[in-house]
Amino acid sequence: MAAQAMTGAESVLRTLSAGGVQACFANPGTSEMHLVAALDRVREVRPVLALFEGVASGAADGYGRMAGIPAATLLHLGPGLGNAFANLHNAYKARTPMVNVVGDHAVAHAPLNAPLASDIASIARPVSHWYASARDARGAAADAAAAVAAARSHGGGIATLVVPADAGWEASAGPAAALPVVPPGAVPGGAVDAAARALRSGGPTALLLGGAATRGPALRAAARIAAATGARLIHDTFPARLERGAGIPRAQPLPYLTEMATEALAGLEQLVVCGTQAPVAFFAYPGRPSRLADPATAVEVLAGPREDATAALEALADALGAPESPLAGDAERPGLPGDRALDAAAIGAAIAELLPEGAIVVDESVTASAPIVQATAGAAPHDWLTLTGGAIGQGLPVATGAAVACPDRTVLSLEGDGSAMYTIQSLWTQAREGLDVTTVIFANRSYAILDFELARVGAEARGPAAEELFGIGRPDLDFVGLAAGMGVPGVRVEDAQAFTTALREALAERGPRLIEARV
Ligand SMILES: Cc1ncc(C[n+]2csc(CCOP(=O)(O)OP(=O)(O)O)c2C)c(N)n1
């Protein structure tokens, strides 16, 4: 009997696996059944169920940020991809390596206007650095190889591959060989020379670090430059992955608020941009600038987001003759908060003391964030992952994926109560997979930041509609109950002492925990 040919679906899965994909965050449907069956045969790829596609895409983002290799998502046609969109947007801004596998109707079925037929390409394009739709089973593996290479090239990006159902079920010619990964581009020598000239001029200068430049090797090169020239180190407001803590060279975060950001950048003669773009305000406000650098400041791009910022910073440090730097972040910490009232500063103080070395902190604590960032600067060395694209509902999924990528590291997920409710189903995946994630919910029962922004954009005085739309009490959310319903043990705390105790216990236990902090 002739051996049965490998399906297109299996050839896709085997190709992804050969390209380094080891996890697939999935919420499949009928059009993906052959891909699901293939997951049974390609055991190297771990299937992880998410109960909403925004959890799958956010988890793949957290995974990719920490693993440095792409996870796959498995999504159900246009509606599944649409549900994944907001967190794909965040991952797109983070330039996370990721491969979306989106099922579609069989090619002949697609034009017939069946209920689930839609314009998948139009949903995918704004959140995909690379996009293709497989034409048939024989070409699908080659498309998958191109997808995984695109996701890994230029430092990372989102590749979206649509797999029509018949491309999954028909016979293939087997998996395709992995394609070469294009590394981030080297910066032109002139860019290093121009930055060196700027830094030698002696005028007030800052380096703005983003992308790969917020990671250890680049931070060390930046610290050498700072020590040799007196330049200040500033990092993007929302870095994809910032290495920080005691002993790691420290950059100051560019503040979120326009007026504070412009003040932080005021008076600079030069701003040297590394691994990111020139800074812009999060929103426009009447009478305030959108570009944050002082108009009198010369902005030099040393390395853009697709370029090798680490090598550029190292070349710049060498060009300046900068010796190995003594500038490392100190271990100063505020100390345990004791018995005070519970607020973000007290929570930050407790975290700073108790965070274990090598922890991964996912920060979607919105208005609570700034005091916690400040308090934890001298905590044991850790990674800090932020909301890169401003689309909330990202924190719990990113924490989930980071824990899948790094099973030996503690994950601490700092989460606003409003943001939590977008993708609260993440807790269920954390329980099912036994992930070591401690979630702290900042239960202020409001969209506090919107209250604050209302006045800043110059809107009329706060009226009943704002009252109605910014408060999330009535009914009060019971996060301990919600967590219990998804298999995650939780506790509610109302003072700093109880928070410290709860955090200590949660960090000591493996597996998911939730702390609802009434702030
Ligand atoms: C997808 C998406 N929808 C809506 C918003 C607008 N938005 C920004 S912050 C926010 C509320 C955040 O509330 P919470 O997480 O409780 O934090 P708090 O402001 O209370 O600190 C909303 C609705 C957004 N940024 N992204």
mmCIF file with all atom_site columns, all heavy atoms in Angstrom, residues 219-240:
data_model
loop_
_atom_site.group_PDB
_atom_site.id
_atom_site.type_symbol
_atom_site.label_atom_id
_atom_site.label_alt_id
_atom_site.label_comp_id
_atom_site.label_asym_id
_atom_site.label_entity_id
_atom_site.label_seq_id
_atom_site.pdbx_PDB_ins_code
_atom_site.Cartn_x
_atom_site.Cartn_y
_atom_site.Cartn_z
_atom_site.occupancy
_atom_site.B_iso_or_equiv
_atom_site.pdbx_formal_charge
_atom_site.auth_seq_id
_atom_site.auth_comp_id
_atom_site.auth_asym_id
_atom_site.auth_atom_id
_atom_site.pdbx_PDB_model_num
ATOM 1   N N   . LEU A 1 219 ? 22.328 48.459 26.707 1.00 0.00 ? 219 LEU A N   1
ATOM 2   C CA  . LEU A 1 219 ? 22.346 49.358 27.871 1.00 0.00 ? 219 LEU A CA  1
ATOM 3   C C   . LEU A 1 219 ? 23.768 49.532 28.387 1.00 0.00 ? 219 LEU A C   1
ATOM 4   O O   . LEU A 1 219 ? 24.164 50.622 28.797 1.00 0.00 ? 219 LEU A O   1
ATOM 5   C CB  . LEU A 1 219 ? 21.445 48.807 28.983 1.00 0.00 ? 219 LEU A CB  1
ATOM 6   C CG  . LEU A 1 219 ? 19.934 48.904 28.736 1.00 0.00 ? 219 LEU A CG  1
ATOM 7   C CD1 . LEU A 1 219 ? 19.179 48.125 29.813 1.00 0.00 ? 219 LEU A CD1 1
ATOM 8   C CD2 . LEU A 1 219 ? 19.477 50.365 28.726 1.00 0.00 ? 219 LEU A CD2 1
ATOM 9   N N   . ARG A 1 220 ? 24.546 48.440 28.334 1.00 0.00 ? 220 ARG A N   1
ATOM 10  C CA  . ARG A 1 220 ? 25.927 48.559 28.807 1.00 0.00 ? 220 ARG A CA  1
ATOM 11  C C   . ARG A 1 220 ? 26.737 49.476 27.886 1.00 0.00 ? 220 ARG A C   1
ATOM 12  O O   . ARG A 1 220 ? 27.511 50.313 28.358 1.00 0.00 ? 220 ARG A O   1
ATOM 13  C CB  . ARG A 1 220 ? 26.575 47.181 28.924 1.00 0.00 ? 220 ARG A CB  1
ATOM 14  C CG  . ARG A 1 220 ? 26.086 46.426 30.168 1.00 0.00 ? 220 ARG A CG  1
ATOM 15  C CD  . ARG A 1 220 ? 26.897 45.171 30.436 1.00 0.00 ? 220 ARG A CD  1
ATOM 16  N NE  . ARG A 1 220 ? 26.615 44.111 29.486 1.00 0.00 ? 220 ARG A NE  1
ATOM 17  C CZ  . ARG A 1 220 ? 25.546 43.303 29.558 1.00 0.00 ? 220 ARG A CZ  1
ATOM 18  N NH1 . ARG A 1 220 ? 24.670 43.446 30.528 1.00 0.00 ? 220 ARG A NH1 1
ATOM 19  N NH2 . ARG A 1 220 ? 25.354 42.363 28.661 1.00 0.00 ? 220 ARG A NH2 1
ATOM 20  N N   . ALA A 1 221 ? 26.531 49.350 26.584 1.00 0.00 ? 221 ALA A N   1
ATOM 21  C CA  . ALA A 1 221 ? 27.237 50.242 25.648 1.00 0.00 ? 221 ALA A CA  1
ATOM 22  C C   . ALA A 1 221 ? 26.776 51.689 25.853 1.00 0.00 ? 221 ALA A C   1
ATOM 23  O O   . ALA A 1 221 ? 27.597 52.619 25.860 1.00 0.00 ? 221 ALA A O   1
ATOM 24  C CB  . ALA A 1 221 ? 26.988 49.790 24.210 1.00 0.00 ? 221 ALA A CB  1
ATOM 25  N N   . ALA A 1 222 ? 25.477 51.869 26.060 1.00 0.00 ? 222 ALA A N   1
ATOM 26  C CA  . ALA A 1 222 ? 24.952 53.228 26.279 1.00 0.00 ? 222 ALA A CA  1
ATOM 27  C C   . ALA A 1 222 ? 25.531 53.822 27.559 1.00 0.00 ? 222 ALA A C   1
ATOM 28  O O   . ALA A 1 222 ? 25.859 55.017 27.614 1.00 0.00 ? 222 ALA A O   1
ATOM 29  C CB  . ALA A 1 222 ? 23.424 53.181 26.353 1.00 0.00 ? 222 ALA A CB  1
ATOM 30  N N   . ALA A 1 223 ? 25.695 52.985 28.583 1.00 0.00 ? 223 ALA A N   1
ATOM 31  C CA  . ALA A 1 223 ? 26.251 53.483 29.842 1.00 0.00 ? 223 ALA A CA  1
ATOM 32  C C   . ALA A 1 223 ? 27.714 53.888 29.669 1.00 0.00 ? 223 ALA A C   1
ATOM 33  O O   . ALA A 1 223 ? 28.165 54.863 30.281 1.00 0.00 ? 223 ALA A O   1
ATOM 34  C CB  . ALA A 1 223 ? 26.119 52.416 30.934 1.00 0.00 ? 223 ALA A CB  1
ATOM 35  N N   . ARG A 1 224 ? 28.430 53.153 28.825 1.00 0.00 ? 224 ARG A N   1
ATOM 36  C CA  . ARG A 1 224 ? 29.819 53.571 28.534 1.00 0.00 ? 224 ARG A CA  1
ATOM 37  C C   . ARG A 1 224 ? 29.813 54.960 27.895 1.00 0.00 ? 224 ARG A C   1
ATOM 38  O O   . ARG A 1 224 ? 30.612 55.823 28.260 1.00 0.00 ? 224 ARG A O   1
ATOM 39  C CB  . ARG A 1 224 ? 30.470 52.588 27.552 1.00 0.00 ? 224 ARG A CB  1
ATOM 40  C CG  . ARG A 1 224 ? 30.846 51.255 28.153 1.00 0.00 ? 224 ARG A CG  1
ATOM 41  C CD  . ARG A 1 224 ? 31.296 50.281 27.051 1.00 0.00 ? 224 ARG A CD  1
ATOM 42  N NE  . ARG A 1 224 ? 32.475 50.735 26.327 1.00 0.00 ? 224 ARG A NE  1
ATOM 43  C CZ  . ARG A 1 224 ? 32.852 50.262 25.123 1.00 0.00 ? 224 ARG A CZ  1
ATOM 44  N NH1 . ARG A 1 224 ? 32.128 49.327 24.519 1.00 0.00 ? 224 ARG A NH1 1
ATOM 45  N NH2 . ARG A 1 224 ? 33.924 50.720 24.536 1.00 0.00 ? 224 ARG A NH2 1
ATOM 46  N N   . ILE A 1 225 ? 28.917 55.145 26.947 1.00 0.00 ? 225 ILE A N   1
ATOM 47  C CA  . ILE A 1 225 ? 28.847 56.431 26.245 1.00 0.00 ? 225 ILE A CA  1
ATOM 48  C C   . ILE A 1 225 ? 28.493 57.546 27.232 1.00 0.00 ? 225 ILE A C   1
ATOM 49  O O   . ILE A 1 225 ? 29.088 58.632 27.233 1.00 0.00 ? 225 ILE A O   1
ATOM 50  C CB  . ILE A 1 225 ? 27.811 56.343 25.101 1.00 0.00 ? 225 ILE A CB  1
ATOM 51  C CG1 . ILE A 1 225 ? 28.277 55.340 24.047 1.00 0.00 ? 225 ILE A CG1 1
ATOM 52  C CG2 . ILE A 1 225 ? 27.554 57.716 24.489 1.00 0.00 ? 225 ILE A CG2 1
ATOM 53  C CD1 . ILE A 1 225 ? 27.194 54.893 23.078 1.00 0.00 ? 225 ILE A CD1 1
ATOM 54  N N   . ALA A 1 226 ? 27.531 57.242 28.103 1.00 0.00 ? 226 ALA A N   1
ATOM 55  C CA  . ALA A 1 226 ? 27.102 58.251 29.080 1.00 0.00 ? 226 ALA A CA  1
ATOM 56  C C   . ALA A 1 226 ? 28.252 58.611 30.018 1.00 0.00 ? 226 ALA A C   1
ATOM 57  O O   . ALA A 1 226 ? 28.483 59.793 30.314 1.00 0.00 ? 226 ALA A O   1
ATOM 58  C CB  . ALA A 1 226 ? 25.909 57.727 29.871 1.00 0.00 ? 226 ALA A CB  1
ATOM 59  N N   . ALA A 1 227 ? 29.004 57.585 30.455 1.00 0.00 ? 227 ALA A N   1
ATOM 60  C CA  . ALA A 1 227 ? 30.107 57.852 31.388 1.00 0.00 ? 227 ALA A CA  1
ATOM 61  C C   . ALA A 1 227 ? 31.192 58.689 30.712 1.00 0.00 ? 227 ALA A C   1
ATOM 62  O O   . ALA A 1 227 ? 31.798 59.558 31.329 1.00 0.00 ? 227 ALA A O   1
ATOM 63  C CB  . ALA A 1 227 ? 30.675 56.528 31.901 1.00 0.00 ? 227 ALA A CB  1
ATOM 64  N N   . ALA A 1 228 ? 31.421 58.425 29.415 1.00 0.00 ? 228 ALA A N   1
ATOM 65  C CA  . ALA A 1 228 ? 32.505 59.122 28.724 1.00 0.00 ? 228 ALA A CA  1
ATOM 66  C C   . ALA A 1 228 ? 32.133 60.535 28.301 1.00 0.00 ? 228 ALA A C   1
ATOM 67  O O   . ALA A 1 228 ? 33.009 61.388 28.159 1.00 0.00 ? 228 ALA A O   1
ATOM 68  C CB  . ALA A 1 228 ? 32.936 58.305 27.502 1.00 0.00 ? 228 ALA A CB  1
ATOM 69  N N   . THR A 1 229 ? 30.841 60.785 28.089 1.00 0.00 ? 229 THR A N   1
ATOM 70  C CA  . THR A 1 229 ? 30.461 62.069 27.481 1.00 0.00 ? 229 THR A CA  1
ATOM 71  C C   . THR A 1 229 ? 29.521 62.900 28.346 1.00 0.00 ? 229 THR A C   1
ATOM 72  O O   . THR A 1 229 ? 29.270 64.058 28.034 1.00 0.00 ? 229 THR A O   1
ATOM 73  C CB  . THR A 1 229 ? 29.742 61.829 26.135 1.00 0.00 ? 229 THR A CB  1
ATOM 74  O OG1 . THR A 1 229 ? 28.502 61.140 26.403 1.00 0.00 ? 229 THR A OG1 1
ATOM 75  C CG2 . THR A 1 229 ? 30.594 61.014 25.173 1.00 0.00 ? 229 THR A CG2 1
ATOM 76  N N   . GLY A 1 230 ? 28.965 62.309 29.368 1.00 0.00 ? 230 GLY A N   1
ATOM 77  C CA  . GLY A 1 230 ? 27.981 63.048 30.177 1.00 0.00 ? 230 GLY A CA  1
ATOM 78  C C   . GLY A 1 230 ? 26.585 63.043 29.571 1.00 0.00 ? 230 GLY A C   1
ATOM 79  O O   . GLY A 1 230 ? 25.687 63.709 30.095 1.00 0.00 ? 230 GLY A O   1
ATOM 80  N N   . ALA A 1 231 ? 26.386 62.308 28.485 1.00 0.00 ? 231 ALA A N   1
ATOM 81  C CA  . ALA A 1 231 ? 25.041 62.243 27.885 1.00 0.00 ? 231 ALA A CA  1
ATOM 82  C C   . ALA A 1 231 ? 24.063 61.584 28.851 1.00 0.00 ? 231 ALA A C   1
ATOM 83  O O   . ALA A 1 231 ? 24.446 60.687 29.611 1.00 0.00 ? 231 ALA A O   1
ATOM 84  C CB  . ALA A 1 231 ? 25.093 61.456 26.575 1.00 0.00 ? 231 ALA A CB  1
ATOM 85  N N   . ARG A 1 232 ? 22.829 62.049 28.818 1.00 0.00 ? 232 ARG A N   1
ATOM 86  C CA  . ARG A 1 232 ? 21.791 61.389 29.625 1.00 0.00 ? 232 ARG A CA  1
ATOM 87  C C   . ARG A 1 232 ? 21.222 60.195 28.866 1.00 0.00 ? 232 ARG A C   1
ATOM 88  O O   . ARG A 1 232 ? 21.201 60.199 27.637 1.00 0.00 ? 232 ARG A O   1
ATOM 89  C CB  . ARG A 1 232 ? 20.659 62.373 29.913 1.00 0.00 ? 232 ARG A CB  1
ATOM 90  C CG  . ARG A 1 232 ? 21.034 63.404 30.993 1.00 0.00 ? 232 ARG A CG  1
ATOM 91  C CD  . ARG A 1 232 ? 20.100 64.598 30.934 1.00 0.00 ? 232 ARG A CD  1
ATOM 92  N NE  . ARG A 1 232 ? 18.701 64.191 30.970 1.00 0.00 ? 232 ARG A NE  1
ATOM 93  C CZ  . ARG A 1 232 ? 17.706 64.883 30.407 1.00 0.00 ? 232 ARG A CZ  1
ATOM 94  N NH1 . ARG A 1 232 ? 17.943 65.992 29.747 1.00 0.00 ? 232 ARG A NH1 1
ATOM 95  N NH2 . ARG A 1 232 ? 16.473 64.456 30.496 1.00 0.00 ? 232 ARG A NH2 1
ATOM 96  N N   . LEU A 1 233 ? 20.737 59.205 29.614 1.00 0.00 ? 233 LEU A N   1
ATOM 97  C CA  . LEU A 1 233 ? 20.111 58.030 28.992 1.00 0.00 ? 233 LEU A CA  1
ATOM 98  C C   . LEU A 1 233 ? 18.608 58.063 29.286 1.00 0.00 ? 233 LEU A C   1
ATOM 99  O O   . LEU A 1 233 ? 18.203 58.113 30.444 1.00 0.00 ? 233 LEU A O   1
ATOM 100 C CB  . LEU A 1 233 ? 20.713 56.731 29.527 1.00 0.00 ? 233 LEU A CB  1
ATOM 101 C CG  . LEU A 1 233 ? 22.214 56.544 29.321 1.00 0.00 ? 233 LEU A CG  1
ATOM 102 C CD1 . LEU A 1 233 ? 22.661 55.186 29.867 1.00 0.00 ? 233 LEU A CD1 1
ATOM 103 C CD2 . LEU A 1 233 ? 22.577 56.657 27.836 1.00 0.00 ? 233 LEU A CD2 1
ATOM 104 N N   . ILE A 1 234 ? 17.838 58.031 28.213 1.00 0.00 ? 234 ILE A N   1
ATOM 105 C CA  . ILE A 1 234 ? 16.374 58.049 28.338 1.00 0.00 ? 234 ILE A CA  1
ATOM 106 C C   . ILE A 1 234 ? 15.867 56.862 27.530 1.00 0.00 ? 234 ILE A C   1
ATOM 107 O O   . ILE A 1 234 ? 16.439 56.538 26.488 1.00 0.00 ? 234 ILE A O   1
ATOM 108 C CB  . ILE A 1 234 ? 15.806 59.366 27.746 1.00 0.00 ? 234 ILE A CB  1
ATOM 109 C CG1 . ILE A 1 234 ? 16.406 60.578 28.491 1.00 0.00 ? 234 ILE A CG1 1
ATOM 110 C CG2 . ILE A 1 234 ? 14.285 59.403 27.809 1.00 0.00 ? 234 ILE A CG2 1
ATOM 111 C CD1 . ILE A 1 234 ? 16.040 61.917 27.872 1.00 0.00 ? 234 ILE A CD1 1
ATOM 112 N N   . HIS A 1 235 ? 14.809 56.189 28.008 1.00 0.00 ? 235 HIS A N   1
ATOM 113 C CA  . HIS A 1 235 ? 14.245 55.125 27.172 1.00 0.00 ? 235 HIS A CA  1
ATOM 114 C C   . HIS A 1 235 ? 12.803 55.447 26.788 1.00 0.00 ? 235 HIS A C   1
ATOM 115 O O   . HIS A 1 235 ? 12.138 56.263 27.441 1.00 0.00 ? 235 HIS A O   1
ATOM 116 C CB  . HIS A 1 235 ? 14.385 53.746 27.831 1.00 0.00 ? 235 HIS A CB  1
ATOM 117 C CG  . HIS A 1 235 ? 13.558 53.532 29.068 1.00 0.00 ? 235 HIS A CG  1
ATOM 118 N ND1 . HIS A 1 235 ? 12.175 53.385 29.029 1.00 0.00 ? 235 HIS A ND1 1
ATOM 119 C CD2 . HIS A 1 235 ? 13.903 53.424 30.365 1.00 0.00 ? 235 HIS A CD2 1
ATOM 120 C CE1 . HIS A 1 235 ? 11.733 53.196 30.256 1.00 0.00 ? 235 HIS A CE1 1
ATOM 121 N NE2 . HIS A 1 235 ? 12.739 53.226 31.094 1.00 0.00 ? 235 HIS A NE2 1
ATOM 122 N N   . ASP A 1 236 ? 12.343 54.819 25.735 1.00 0.00 ? 236 ASP A N   1
ATOM 123 C CA  . ASP A 1 236 ? 10.970 54.979 25.254 1.00 0.00 ? 236 ASP A CA  1
ATOM 124 C C   . ASP A 1 236 ? 9.989  54.830 26.418 1.00 0.00 ? 236 ASP A C   1
ATOM 125 O O   . ASP A 1 236 ? 10.209 54.011 27.322 1.00 0.00 ? 236 ASP A O   1
ATOM 126 C CB  . ASP A 1 236 ? 10.646 53.887 24.215 1.00 0.00 ? 236 ASP A CB  1
ATOM 127 C CG  . ASP A 1 236 ? 10.934 54.336 22.791 1.00 0.00 ? 236 ASP A CG  1
ATOM 128 O OD1 . ASP A 1 236 ? 11.104 55.543 22.548 1.00 0.00 ? 236 ASP A OD1 1
ATOM 129 O OD2 . ASP A 1 236 ? 10.979 53.446 21.901 1.00 0.00 ? 236 ASP A OD2 1
ATOM 130 N N   . THR A 1 237 ? 8.886  55.528 26.354 1.00 0.00 ? 237 THR A N   1
ATOM 131 C CA  . THR A 1 237 ? 7.879  55.460 27.415 1.00 0.00 ? 237 THR A CA  1
ATOM 132 C C   . THR A 1 237 ? 7.373  54.026 27.584 1.00 0.00 ? 237 THR A C   1
ATOM 133 O O   . THR A 1 237 ? 7.155  53.568 28.703 1.00 0.00 ? 237 THR A O   1
ATOM 134 C CB  . THR A 1 237 ? 6.694  56.382 27.059 1.00 0.00 ? 237 THR A CB  1
ATOM 135 O OG1 . THR A 1 237 ? 7.219  57.651 26.656 1.00 0.00 ? 237 THR A OG1 1
ATOM 136 C CG2 . THR A 1 237 ? 5.762  56.567 28.238 1.00 0.00 ? 237 THR A CG2 1
ATOM 137 N N   . PHE A 1 238 ? 7.169  53.338 26.466 1.00 0.00 ? 238 PHE A N   1
ATOM 138 C CA  . PHE A 1 238 ? 6.595  51.987 26.536 1.00 0.00 ? 238 PHE A CA  1
ATOM 139 C C   . PHE A 1 238 ? 7.500  50.988 25.800 1.00 0.00 ? 238 PHE A C   1
ATOM 140 O O   . PHE A 1 238 ? 7.225  50.589 24.671 1.00 0.00 ? 238 PHE A O   1
ATOM 141 C CB  . PHE A 1 238 ? 5.187  51.989 25.937 1.00 0.00 ? 238 PHE A CB  1
ATOM 142 C CG  . PHE A 1 238 ? 4.223  52.816 26.747 1.00 0.00 ? 238 PHE A CG  1
ATOM 143 C CD1 . PHE A 1 238 ? 3.838  54.081 26.327 1.00 0.00 ? 238 PHE A CD1 1
ATOM 144 C CD2 . PHE A 1 238 ? 3.732  52.339 27.956 1.00 0.00 ? 238 PHE A CD2 1
ATOM 145 C CE1 . PHE A 1 238 ? 2.965  54.859 27.082 1.00 0.00 ? 238 PHE A CE1 1
ATOM 146 C CE2 . PHE A 1 238 ? 2.862  53.105 28.721 1.00 0.00 ? 238 PHE A CE2 1
ATOM 147 C CZ  . PHE A 1 238 ? 2.481  54.373 28.282 1.00 0.00 ? 238 PHE A CZ  1
ATOM 148 N N   . PRO A 1 239 ? 8.587  50.570 26.463 1.00 0.00 ? 239 PRO A N   1
ATOM 149 C CA  . PRO A 1 239 ? 9.484  49.599 25.817 1.00 0.00 ? 239 PRO A CA  1
ATOM 150 C C   . PRO A 1 239 ? 8.855  48.202 25.756 1.00 0.00 ? 239 PRO A C   1
ATOM 151 O O   . PRO A 1 239 ? 8.078  47.821 26.640 1.00 0.00 ? 239 PRO A O   1
ATOM 152 C CB  . PRO A 1 239 ? 10.721 49.596 26.720 1.00 0.00 ? 239 PRO A CB  1
ATOM 153 C CG  . PRO A 1 239 ? 10.277 50.147 28.030 1.00 0.00 ? 239 PRO A CG  1
ATOM 154 C CD  . PRO A 1 239 ? 9.056  50.985 27.798 1.00 0.00 ? 239 PRO A CD  1
ATOM 155 N N   . ALA A 1 240 ? 9.218  47.461 24.722 1.00 0.00 ? 240 ALA A N   1
ATOM 156 C CA  . ALA A 1 240 ? 8.717  46.089 24.595 1.00 0.00 ? 240 ALA A CA  1
ATOM 157 C C   . ALA A 1 240 ? 9.303  45.208 25.686 1.00 0.00 ? 240 ALA A C   1
ATOM 158 O O   . ALA A 1 240 ? 8.606  44.366 26.262 1.00 0.00 ? 240 ALA A O   1
ATOM 159 C CB  . ALA A 1 240 ? 9.074  45.527 23.220 1.00 0.00 ? 240 ALA A CB  1
#
